[in-house]
Amino acid sequence: MAGYRPLCKEHVLGAIYPLEHSLKQSISEQSWHTSSSFFTQDDHRLSGCLEFSPARHELGHAVSHCLIYLISHLITWQTWEDDPATSSALATNAGRQWLPDICLLAGILSGTLSIMHPPLYDAGLEAMKALRQWSAVADHAMSDALFQWPTVYTNVSVIANHSAPLHHDPHSHVDWYDLLVSLGEYMDCVLDIPTLGLPSWHCSSILQQVALAWGWVNAISGNKYSLAYYMRNNVHNWLNVPREDWMRVHTVQNALMSM
């Protein structure tokens, strides 16, 4: 496996560079994710944040009615007023070309999730199957995107030279696993997740992150590119895919006994 890491790294970096124009166009003041204040301001370095997804609800279409905090859980009741659609980044020619270019990494990460959290992996497979069946009849653009979509995750964000304030993902579940891949040449990048009570991590490769944990990333020198893989709860709910729980010892034991 170690012999494939440099090849995979260079392959993924090579797939990011053609997104330069789309990344620059993504910077706006609509949210902190795309705000210019969190990106490196340098004409010689790529900067921006793109969300690739074959099926997502547009901002405002998933309406949150009530939030209740119970100790460490955030319970959200939501309605979905519209069908999901392919993200604008994925609908571009550059976005479609990007999909086959990251198949190797996406396959490795999906395989990793199948070991770390088999029920969540199965839920992701079920969601992709349901989306393909629905889109084949209702949304041909989504159907075309799903034909090339290489992962069980519903979303992948490509993030270039970006720092982040303390934040969390309100559209996921606390017991789901996100995956964060960091690439490039940089120093002293720190990922701090204080709500988990863990020491700060120096980002250099692939990290697993509990979906609803709060965290922040500092500004760095050099070039840092990240790929964040995550699932959207509202899409899974819209598809009636059962929500998976924490991975526990008995879950692993039962899986081993059934082999």
Side-chain angles (χ1 to χ4, degrees):
M1 181 70 181
Y4 289 98
R5 283 189 63 185
L7 177 62
C8 185
K9 176 181 177 181
E10 294 305 317
H11 186 75
V12 175
L13 284 174
I16 293 176
Y17 297 142
L19 299 174
E20 178 179 6
H21 177 72
S22 298
L23 283 165
K24 288 182 178 179
Q25 293 296 316
S26 72
I27 299 177
S28 70
E29 303 308 317
Q30 294 182 354
S31 74
W32 70 262
H33 295 88
T34 57
S35 172
S36 59
S37 10
F38 293 105
F39 289 102
T40 303
Q41 303 297 313
D42 187 336
D43 292 338
H44 301 290
R45 296 163 68 182
L46 290 181
S47 294
C49 178
L50 296 171
E51 181 186 2
F52 294 95
S53 176
R56 66 186 295 273
H57 286 99
E58 296 296 330
L59 183 65
H61 289 186
V63 182
S64 178
H65 290 305
C66 182
L67 299 176
I68 297 179
Y69 286 91
L70 294 176
I71 308 176
S72 62
H73 288 78
L74 173 65
I75 301 175
T76 307
W77 283 272
Q78 292 180 314
T79 63
W80 294 270
E81 299 178 337
D82 297 297
D83 296 332
T86 303
S87 68
S88 57
L90 186 55
T92 64
N93 290 333
R96 292 300 177 86
Q97 181 56 48
W98 176 79
L99 283 180
D101 288 343
I102 54 96
C103 277
L104 176 59
L105 176 63
I108 292 173
L109 295 181
S110 288
T112 301
L113 181 66
S114 73
I115 297 171
M116 296 190 306
H117 200 324
L120 183 58
Y121 173 81
D122 290 342
L125 281 180
E126 185 177 344
M128 292 300 119
K129 179 180 178 181
L131 281 172
R132 289 187 178 96
Q133 292 175 341
W134 178 83
S135 64
V137 176
D139 189 330
H140 295 298
M142 182 186 297
S143 182
D144 291 343
L146 285 164
F147 181 76
Q148 291 185 293
W149 189 249
T151 176
V152 297
Y153 283 94
T154 58
N155 295 63
V156 182
S157 287
V158 177
I159 309 163
N161 289 313
H162 184 256
S163 59
L166 186 65
H167 69 282
H168 78 294
D169 179 1
H171 305 292
S172 189
H173 270 290
V174 68
D175 43 19
W176 286 4
Y177 292 167
D178 297 343
L179 291 177
L180 179 66
V181 180
S182 292
L183 303 162
E185 298 178 358
Y186 56 90
M187 297 179 61
D188 300 323
C189 178
V190 175
L191 172 63
D192 191 12
I193 309 179
T195 52
L196 294 183
L198 298 174
S200 301
W201 294 335
H202 289 266
C203 305
S204 59
S205 54
I206 299 176
L207 299 174
Q208 168 200 325
Q209 182 177 345
V210 177
L212 288 189
W214 289 76
W216 62 271
V217 180
N218 66 313
I220 53 96
S221 58
N223 285 295
K224 184 177 79 71
Y225 310 109
S226 299
L227 280 76
Y229 287 73
Y230 51 100
M231 298 185 187
R232 282 288 181 242
N233 175 47
N234 54 16
V235 173
H236 277 226
N237 281 350
W238 182 80
L239 294 167
N240 293 317
V241 175
R243 183 173 69 84
E244 297 304 329
D245 202 351
W246 288 101
M247 270 300 292
R248 293 182 169 87
V249 173
H250 71 79
T251 308
V252 178
Q253 291 174 336
N254 293 338
L256 292 173
M257 292 177 62
S258 64
M259 294 179 62

